[in-house]
Amino acid sequence: MDMTTIVLDDRRFKAAAKKAEELGTTPEEFINSLIDAATLTFDEILAPVREAFAASGATEEDLDDAIAEAREAFRKQSSGDVKS
């Protein structure tokens, strides 16, 4: 694999190093993951979600129902209409 060196100012490198440490990786791997994520298409990003949905055996109606339930629960919580 060909390698290219990039130059980062100290502030950016320290920020990347800190985030990488939080994620348990190296600054180089963290920056590579950012570049990879930035170059994925929407279809590539959603592919694992679509595969998991297909494997779950759920129908689109099941998904619609789950979203409607979550939306209603959120509305109740947001309006303070939730009983603990």
Side-chain angles (χ1 to χ4, degrees):
M1 170 183 1
D2 292 337
M3 303 290 277
T4 301
T5 301
I6 62 169
V7 178
L8 298 175
D9 60 42
D10 285 344
R11 181 188 63 80
R12 286 189 174 105
F13 182 79
K14 287 177 183 175
K18 180 180 178 194
K19 189 63 175 178
E21 184 176 356
E22 291 171 9
L23 297 172
T25 189
T26 66
E28 293 82 3
E29 290 172 346
F30 172 66
I31 292 168
N32 282 332
S33 71
L34 291 177
I35 294 167
D36 290 344
T39 58
L40 292 175
T41 66
F42 194 64
D43 281 339
E44 290 169 327
I45 293 167
L46 286 181
V49 175
R50 289 185 178 121
E51 291 169 10
F53 180 75
S56 75
T59 65
E60 287 189 29
E61 185 176 304
D62 294 333
L63 180 59
D64 290 341
D65 291 344
I67 291 171
E69 289 174 20
R71 185 179 293 129
E72 184 62 26
F74 178 77
R75 285 184 183 142
K76 286 182 179 179
Q77 180 181 10
S78 295
S79 68
D81 190 25
V82 175
K83 296 181 175 109
S84 301

